[in-house]
Amino acid sequence: MARVVVVTSGKGGVGKTTTSAAFAAGLAKRGFKTVVIDFDVGLRNLDLIMGCERRVVYDLLNVIHGEGSLNQALIKDKRLENLYILPASQTRDKDALCMDGVGRVIDDLKGRFDYIVCDSPAGIESGAITAMYYADEALIVTNPEVSSVRDSDRIIGMLSSKTLRAAQGHDPIKEHLVITRYDSNRVNIGDMLSAGDVQEILAIPFLGVVPESESVLIASNSGVPVTLADETEASQAYMDVVDRFLGEERPYRFIDLPKKGLLARLFGT
């Protein structure tokens, strides 16, 4: 049965869209037919990170309003057989999204895909609520800083009260924590919250950290999801996240400072 996964946080700039692209591509790499939907109406960016901005003809709102079919709007990734994107409109505002229309699109997608990944816009207003409303599971993306964690805590409250599952009294959305832009050196000197601190505050299951890395920016600017880029720490970290989400056991990496070798310890380098 298809699963709807929302990638959300509340705060902007934490890496939701990067995570949505990397997570969806990772699921597709693992053999699951996956579509990722951009809910950031008016500020469309997912198509850039996925490298398909020149192929956008129809978008989510065109489908909802009957101006184009779902087949016309879905863009098939050229690198992965199982990966598709449904872009957002760049010319309208978030108020153009209607909950019933989104529900119809998601119901249609459920008949075609294993996973439907919803890239939520920043904030706690209608766009974010629409993105999370039909979710079965949620990736809560946060940076290891107080303001980001506080906003994520508020989103967790919304996931338990402002969704279809909450309205119908069904089992709650299954929540997962992903910490992005993590720097173990800064954690070590007290400039950044540790992964343990964030887990303790938010108290939801932990999928792992994604280390701060230039490779994320390079991949995004190249239109390549991180999990399809060269083997970097960030790409490894995102694939660990995907595998843990799928129920695989993986050791937690990139949380602690790398251990120094014997020569480094002897000479203090």
Side-chain angles (χ1 to χ4, degrees):
M1 177 182 248
R3 302 288 288 175
V4 181
V5 184
V6 64
V7 180
T8 184
S9 72
K11 184 177 175 64
V14 301
K16 283 189 299 295
T17 300
T18 297
T19 299
S20 296
F23 182 71
L27 289 171
K29 280 181 73 173
R30 291 294 184 251
F32 295 96
K33 195 170 183 183
T34 305
V35 60
V36 55
I37 307 174
D38 191 348
F39 276 87
D40 202 353
V41 177
L43 295 172
R44 185 175 79 202
N45 283 311
L46 181 64
D47 56 312
L48 292 171
I49 291 178
M50 298 288 288
C52 63
E53 68 278 7
R54 296 180 184 276
R55 299 169 61 201
V56 176
V57 178
Y58 294 94
D59 56 52
L60 173 60
L61 280 174
N62 291 140
V63 177
I64 289 174
H65 294 293
E67 300 159 354
S69 70
L70 186 56
N71 285 337
Q72 290 174 313
L74 284 171
I75 300 172
K76 188 177 185 297
D77 188 82
K78 292 183 176 180
R79 296 151 298 201
L80 287 173
E81 181 71 22
N82 291 322
L83 183 59
Y84 291 75
I85 175 175
L86 181 54
S89 172
Q90 202 169 15
T91 59
R92 307 193 197 184
D93 58 41
K94 291 179 175 62
D95 293 333
L97 276 177
C98 65
M99 202 70 81
D100 289 344
V102 170
R104 290 193 301 272
V105 171
I106 287 180
D107 282 343
D108 196 344
L109 292 171
K110 282 182 176 180
R112 310 183 188 200
F113 293 92
D114 300 311
Y115 284 100
I116 300 162
V117 179
C118 302
D119 178 26
S120 173
I124 57 172
E125 298 177 353
S126 61
I129 293 172
T130 304
M132 71 172 64
Y133 189 74
Y134 294 98
D136 301 304
E137 305 196 43
L139 299 192
I140 315 298
V141 181
T142 188
N143 294 158
E145 58 183 51
V146 173
S147 61
S148 180
V149 174
R150 181 178 63 183
D151 288 349
S152 293
D153 190 47
R154 188 165 184 188
I155 283 291
I156 290 170
M158 292 170 62
L159 286 166
S160 65
S161 62
K162 295 185 179 294
T163 63
L164 181 62
R165 282 178 169 266
Q168 294 181 342
H170 293 163
D171 290 339
I173 288 173
K174 189 175 181 181
E175 298 158 341
H176 310 271
L177 173 62
V178 178
I179 304 173
T180 54
R181 305 191 67 179
Y182 195 81
D183 186 333
S184 54
N185 286 293
R186 293 182 63 192
V187 171
N188 196 48
I189 61 176
D191 284 351
M192 183 177 279
L193 294 173
S194 71
D197 292 333
V198 179
Q199 291 176 72
E200 185 175 350
I201 294 167
L202 297 180
I204 59 175
F206 178 52
L207 289 182
V209 304
V210 178
E212 180 76 88
S213 173
E214 285 186 3
S215 64
V216 175
L217 180 61
I218 292 170
S220 296
N221 286 340
S222 302
V224 180
V226 180
T227 39
L228 300 184
D230 292 335
E231 191 75 358
T232 63
E233 287 190 347
S235 66
Q236 293 172 46
Y238 271 120
M239 286 310 302
D240 284 351
V241 164
V242 171
D243 289 340
R244 292 191 194 101
F245 175 85
L246 294 172
E248 301 289 334
E249 293 287 338
R250 293 287 182 271
Y252 287 98
R253 300 189 281 176
F254 316 116
I255 293 177
D256 301 318
L257 285 171
K259 292 183 179 179
K260 292 184 178 180
L262 176 60
L263 290 177
R265 292 200 302 273
L266 288 175
F267 294 100
T269 58

